[in-house]
Amino acid sequence: MKTIVITGGAGFIGNHVVRLFVNKYPDYRIINVDKLTYAGNLANLKDVEHSPNYEFRRIDICDFDTVYSLMRDEQVSGIVHLAAESHVDRSIKDPFSFAQTNVMGTLSLLQSARMYWESLPEKYDGKNFYHISTDEVYGALILNRPDGDGHGNGPYGDDLFTEENKYMPHSPYSASKASSDHFVRAFHDTYGMPTIITNCSNNYGPYQFPEKLIPLFINNIRNRKPLPVYGKGENVRDWLYVEDHARAIDLIFHNGIPGETYNIGGFNEKKNIDVVKTMVKIVDRLLGRAENEDENLITFVTDRAGHDLRYAIDASKLNRHLGWKPQVNFDEGIELTVKWYLDNEEWMNNVTSGDYQRYYESMYGKR
């Protein structure tokens, strides 16, 4: 069986990719490598944990010796690298941990893969190192509506991020991801390692850790807690439903061209305040409350340091080269997402209480 390692597979995007690969490719052996930090939760994979082609390994990707042993002993032929620290607010408070995991962890994986694959008679034939990154490495786009001449590419501005954009990261998080991208490209250019990079827009959907905007606010609305919105809520993001992202990762892993970069976007630009008001409307309706009853929970707080005003991805290259386009628009996706969190209150309570972490500490010891 071909052995594929998916790093960060107990996290938000990772669990969707693991599930897709395990169910779609029974002839693959999928090894989920995750350190189980606060954002990793094996409960996200209850439905596949006993599948014959699935294994979990609790490994810190920064531990080079352990990662290299895994590559060698399990004869790994492909890596889908999702493990990362990803919350911008946390990166502002603790940039060192972001540099450690996102930069040194990626370098550990690259070097382990290179050393093992180069030791084989076939070397890089049939091998693939796929690194998932973010649109935040590109910096910020100008926020302005098209002038009405019909040539605008987005509702909030004519320009979109393409694969040719220069890197201009503005937060410790985006700087760490930009650095890891550069290392991946360097290993392709220096050693001939078959690597692929994708930069995606904001993901949303089931199993996202509730420090992020959408799950946090759904839970706050349900419990009638304040909804703190940065600045005036004018920041614009492109929203990508997580299952669409998983499908794109699957397609690119199997059909992408080594050395290429592909942008993955949802073509769903929304202002943060509009996303929040949409969630209020849906939660109130699904809970049988009066329409927009909980809009009074919205409060505006001091903007975050280095808060980019607008991100938006141009995913047309991916469409041209591999035929991918998102299947779920935002109206459909946000309805599905709100319903999932409301229907999975036990999952949310287990995460917000920290019970899931105490359970893993009892099994594996403290990190």
Side-chain angles (χ1 to χ4, degrees), residues 33 78 99 169 305 359:
V33 168
Y359 172 71

Side-chain angles (χ1 to χ4, degrees), residues 86-94 98 173 211 230 304:
S86 65
H87 191 50
V88 176
D89 286 355
R90 287 179 183 263
S91 80
I92 293 170
K93 296 177 181 177
D94 181 17
F98 281 70
Y173 162 61
E211 67 183 355
Y230 282 128
R304 180 172 68 202

Side-chain angles (χ1 to χ4, degrees), residues 87-203:
H87 191 50
V88 176
D89 286 355
R90 287 179 183 263
S91 80
I92 293 170
K93 296 177 181 177
D94 181 17
F96 283 101
S97 64
F98 281 70
Q100 180 70 17
T101 299
N102 297 352
V103 183
M104 298 307 294
T106 299
L107 183 56
S108 172
L109 285 166
L110 286 164
Q111 182 71 344
S112 298
R114 181 184 76 84
M115 289 176 58
Y116 169 61
W117 290 341
E118 287 189 349
S119 73
L120 301 174
E122 71 275 17
K123 297 190 182 298
Y124 289 130
D125 288 350
K127 308 302 188 295
N128 190 359
F129 189 106
Y130 179 1
H131 173 67
I132 287 85
S133 188
T134 173
D135 57 0
E136 297 191 39
V137 299
Y138 296 126
L141 292 168
I142 296 172
L143 177 62
N144 66 309
R145 286 192 173 277
D147 58 12
D149 62 3
H151 298 296
N153 292 316
Y156 296 103
D158 290 346
D159 53 340
L160 301 173
F161 291 135
T162 74
E163 293 79 0
E164 304 304 318
N165 273 74
K166 293 180 179 180
Y167 276 29
M168 297 182 64
H170 292 149
S171 72
Y173 162 61
S174 56
S176 69
K177 291 298 289 184
S179 180
S180 66
D181 293 4
H182 290 320
F183 269 109
V184 174
R185 289 194 181 92
F187 268 64
H188 174 268
D189 295 346
T190 302
Y191 305 110
M193 181 186 287
T195 65
I196 295 174
I197 298 172
T198 54
N199 300 88
C200 69
S201 52
N202 277 32
N203 280 226

Side-chain angles (χ1 to χ4, degrees), residues 28-40:
Y28 285 6
R29 180 166 165 245
I30 304 301
I31 301 179
N32 171 14
V33 168
D34 201 296
K35 185 181 177 182
L36 295 183
T37 63
Y38 74 93

